[in-house]
Amino acid sequence: MSNAIKLPMKKGFGRTDRIDKWWTKPFWMGFGLTVALVYTALRVLFWDGAIHYDNHRVTSPIFSPDVIHLFDLKTPTWMNSALLILWIPFGFRGTCYYMRKVYHRVFFQNPTACVVAKPEINYKIGYKGETGLFILNNIHRYMLYLAIIILSMKVYDVYHTMWFNEGNDFGISIGTLVLATESILLFMYVASCHAFRHLFGGGMNQWRGGISGIMGKLYIKVSNLNIEHAFWFWTSLVMVFLGDLFVWAVSEGFLTDPYLIIM
Ligand code: FES
């Protein structure tokens, strides 16, 4: 009979037998998420000018899709499109399976890390799974459907950046590449989502021949994307802010957005 080892082997918050720098990853994840939240709050609530340029040809990813402009909505002057749509990306990312791992480890310290002791109180609290407020995590699949709609509108935004001079010339500028990169990374984040596989055979009882066999093969292919989900989570998130800074800088005249190709 094997001897069972009770983990973590040491008691006391942060104590461990690990010899690697286990805290580096959680530190940077916490730092990244905090900066993202503070930046978004400041930009959306207090600093929501300079969100597009060239008469709406290029729009900041934080404020895209710019539904107020697209649908000519009559809204109070303090309202902006981010206030209307950000609940979708927030809801999607907030219920993401990878995000759950991040916030449980970084912000709740429950667990702190593999084989690292967590705060004493968390041993008493334990892990209650998707209960209480966390039951909302179950809406993730529905948030995915909404995120797909937002992604399609962002693809349209990329196409829109290719029409210059009031729609008379077609081409590509740096702004096109910035928004295209953001859309591609977002597409990869969405396509690598655990719930995305539900659309490709994940909801079937069996994969045996015919359409269900094809769906089964697709499920395996889509599942391969899921392996790098954390990578797509972070790169797509960072690109939202880089894109916003680029649009802000061009809009304020600190940078220009020259054509690379024009027809
Ligand atoms: Fe992360 Fe769906 S699991 S977005």
Side-chain angles (χ1 to χ4, degrees), residues 56-237:
H56 294 270
R57 182 176 68 83
V58 181
T59 302
S60 154
I62 292 183
F63 297 85
S64 149
D66 188 353
V67 285
I68 292 181
H69 173 70
L70 278 176
F71 301 114
D72 199 16
L73 301 180
K74 302 286 169 255
T75 56
T77 47
W78 51 265
M79 180 64 80
N80 59 54
S81 290
L83 285 171
L84 293 177
I85 50 144
L86 270 189
W87 63 275
I88 298 177
F90 265 64
F92 182 54
R93 285 187 185 267
T95 56
C96 163
Y97 289 71
Y98 170 72
M99 179 69 156
R100 299 180 204 183
K101 170 183 165 183
V102 173
Y103 67 68
H104 273 289
R105 289 185 179 224
V106 176
F107 297 121
F108 300 158
Q109 294 294 310
N110 197 9
T112 295
C114 290
V115 206
V116 178
K118 54 190 181 182
E120 205 52 44
I121 189 166
N122 285 342
Y123 288 103
K124 295 194 183 99
I125 294 172
Y127 174 68
K128 296 195 169 55
E130 289 166 358
T131 57
L133 198 58
F134 293 108
I135 201 154
L136 286 176
N137 279 329
N138 287 297
I139 63 172
H140 187 63
R141 199 195 310 158
Y142 305 103
M143 295 313 301
L144 167 69
Y145 302 150
L146 293 174
I148 290 172
I149 296 173
I150 295 285
L151 177 62
S152 328
M153 294 174 88
K154 277 178 177 277
V155 171
Y156 172 77
D157 269 2
V158 176
Y159 171 73
H160 190 65
T161 65
M162 300 167 99
W163 289 100
F164 301 84
N165 304 325
E166 306 301 321
N168 292 318
D169 298 313
F170 187 75
I172 291 176
S173 72
I174 303 272
T176 308
L177 298 183
V178 168
L179 290 203
T181 305
E182 197 249 337
S183 289
I184 290 168
L185 293 174
L186 189 60
F187 170 79
M188 291 308 295
Y189 175 52
V190 168
S192 62
C193 168
H194 293 63
F196 193 67
R197 298 175 296 176
H198 187 81
L199 298 172
F200 297 93
M204 291 179 152
N205 291 331
Q206 60 172 19
W207 301 323
R208 206 174 293 158
I211 298 284
S212 74
I214 294 170
M215 292 303 255
K217 288 199 177 91
L218 277 175
Y219 181 91
I220 291 164
K221 292 251 181 274
V222 174
S223 294
N224 284 336
L225 297 178
N226 183 255
I227 297 167
E228 300 297 339
H229 191 54
F231 174 79
W232 301 119
F233 174 94
W234 286 108
T235 49
S236 61
L237 188 64

